[in-house]
Amino acid sequence: MITSEEIKKNWEEKDGWYRNPNTKLWLKIGNGAEIGNGAEIGDWAEIGDRAKIGNGAEIGDRAKIGERFLTIQDKYIGHIYPTKDDVLIRIGCEIHTVADWDAHGAAYARKAGEEKWWDIVGKRILEMLKQEVTLYQAERNLIKGEVNGSK
């Protein structure tokens, strides 16, 4: 893993962009961001503050990775997935609303034969991701000028 602090300290910088000394590709990276081992980041990609890129991830050219999105990597990767009208949670290959996860999370794990993992790890990952959904929705409402559901 490499942190944004290491990148900003050791890589060539030009106008806020940093050049990977191995690939010669440029990226912009926010404070507190981390890039996992073996991750491939395309040319001119932008990684926001506190973003976490998992081991072996592939990020294309000119991609923009949002600020503060939490990605959790255990046996399965979990993250939030904002849509136009909602914010979904993805754990492994399952992607559902918070309400669906609350109602059926154990059933999704059972379908995959992962009941023990769900009880020990999956539920905790879901709780962390639900907190991220709440924060993301609050930020989206502030951007829209809405506070506590009113404009």
Side-chain angles (χ1 to χ4, degrees):
M1 177 188 68
I2 188 168
T3 66
S4 57
E5 288 76 20
E6 293 169 314
I7 289 171
K8 290 178 179 183
K9 180 180 176 185
N10 298 317
W11 291 13
E12 174 188 352
E13 186 268 339
K14 184 175 181 182
D15 298 325
W17 290 88
Y18 296 87
R19 189 171 189 200
N20 182 319
N22 299 316
T23 66
K24 307 301 184 213
L25 302 178
W26 292 88
L27 70 84
K28 187 176 279 191
I29 189 162
N31 295 323
E34 297 175 357
I35 301 173
N37 294 327
E40 296 181 18
I41 311 296
D43 209 13
W44 304 105
E46 296 182 48
I47 300 170
D49 291 341
R50 296 176 299 283
K52 310 287 186 225
I53 309 299
N55 293 337
E58 296 181 14
I59 309 296
D61 292 350
R62 301 194 184 281
K64 293 186 180 186
I65 307 303
E67 294 182 13
R68 235 197 82 277
F69 285 111
L70 177 69
T71 297
I72 301 170
Q73 185 169 348
D74 184 69
K75 185 173 186 178
Y76 300 101
I77 295 175
H79 62 243
I80 66 172
Y81 182 77
T83 67
K84 182 179 176 191
D85 301 317
D86 204 349
V87 182
L88 305 175
I89 292 177
R90 179 179 179 184
I91 300 175
C93 63
E94 297 284 346
I95 185 166
H96 305 283
T97 64
V98 169
D100 286 341
W101 276 110
D102 284 340
H104 308 292
Y108 301 142
R110 193 169 36 258
K111 181 175 79 172
E114 294 290 356
E115 298 96 327
K116 185 176 181 181
W117 178 86
W118 179 254
D119 288 336
I120 296 170
V121 179
K123 288 178 183 178
R124 291 184 329 166
I125 289 175
L126 177 60
E127 289 306 311
M128 287 186 273
L129 291 170
K130 285 167 52 177
Q131 291 175 9
E132 283 296 302
V133 168
T134 300
L135 290 170
Y136 180 82
Q137 288 171 328
E139 290 171 355
R140 183 161 37 183
N141 288 341
L142 285 173
I143 291 168
K144 290 180 182 177
E146 299 174 5
V147 178
N148 295 328
S150 63
K151 289 188 175 185

